[in-house]
Amino acid sequence: MTPAVVLLSGGLDSTTVLAMAKAEEFAPYALSFRYGQRHAVELEAATRIAQTLGVAEHIIADIDLRRLGASALTADIAVPKGRALEDMETGIPATYVPARNTVFLSLALAWAEFLGASDLFIGVNALDYSGYPDCRPDYIAAFEQMANLATAAGVQGHQRLKIHAPLMALSKAEIIRKGLELGVDYALTRSCYDPVGEGMPCGQCDACLLRAKGFAEAGVPDPLLMHREAGV
């Protein structure tokens, strides 16, 4: 099987992308990050997902982005709650982590070169993306162009990196439907920016509201909430 590096956060989108990479018969090498985020819940989820879906290898890389810029995900800054969906379509929210996807993609590129992999998967989305500048199609295209100028394998012609962003033009509901077609168990995933209790979603942050909108429009219940209500 052809190796591919898959960025895996433990969230709904990246889990769907991992399932899509497997469906395309890639051998996925999952890469997650302990980057100074306030909550470890997503890494616990990423570990469970990697084990359940099956990957060739799963690495959790340690980097500390807290010193490089404040974000509600890494610093003692309030996570926005209860925002209207239309408000999420304008401006950059406090949960933006400076250059996070650029850092993540750069390390994924390094691993891909080591593995001899020409394919890299990321779960960015330009529709329900909550204002992040590094989730846009022109950003991904620009990084891919840069990546092919930045490695020995690319310059020597041994590798032509392709960044797959298969969720880019999909709504959250379409992403969920695609994942369900592939057998994804979304109860394993965690999306919340500010989890409560035993890592359960707060229900009011942007990520929770977008997730709820997606499941409602897909016409299916969120299994994570069903598990919570059942006390699982």
Side-chain angles (χ1 to χ4, degrees), residues 1 13 23 26 32-33 38 40 56 65-66 69 81 99-100 145 156 164 170 183 186 221 227:
M1 297 176 70
D13 293 342
F26 284 96
S32 306
F33 294 93
R38 289 161 54 185
L65 299 183
R66 292 173 295 182
K81 299 286 182 72
R100 182 176 62 176
Q145 182 179 14
Q156 293 169 355
H164 302 258
L170 301 183
Y186 286 118
H227 281 213

Side-chain angles (χ1 to χ4, degrees), residues 49-164:
I49 291 159
Q51 292 171 346
T52 301
L53 270 66
V55 299
E57 186 175 355
H58 180 213
I59 288 178
I60 299 178
D62 286 287
I63 54 177
D64 191 352
L65 299 183
R66 292 173 295 182
R67 300 288 299 275
L68 304 181
S71 164
L73 299 188
T74 59
D76 190 18
I77 298 172
V79 172
K81 299 286 182 72
R83 293 209 301 162
L85 294 173
E86 54 267 23
D87 292 340
M88 299 180 199
E89 297 174 359
T90 59
I92 298 174
T95 49
Y96 167 69
V97 179
R100 182 176 62 176
N101 278 349
T102 302
V103 173
F104 289 0
L105 283 168
S106 296
L107 293 174
L109 170 62
W111 199 21
E113 184 175 22
F114 172 75
L115 294 170
S118 296
D119 297 275
L120 196 162
F121 284 78
I122 184 171
V124 292
N125 176 263
L127 295 182
D128 293 329
Y129 76 112
S130 194
Y132 297 123
D134 51 5
C135 290
R136 297 171 297 160
D138 51 351
Y139 165 77
I140 295 298
F143 191 95
E144 182 180 285
Q145 182 179 14
M146 180 279 298
N148 282 299
L149 298 172
T151 64
V155 171
Q156 293 169 355
H158 303 317
Q159 177 191 57
R160 180 69 186 174
L161 188 78
K162 170 65 177 177
I163 299 180
H164 302 258

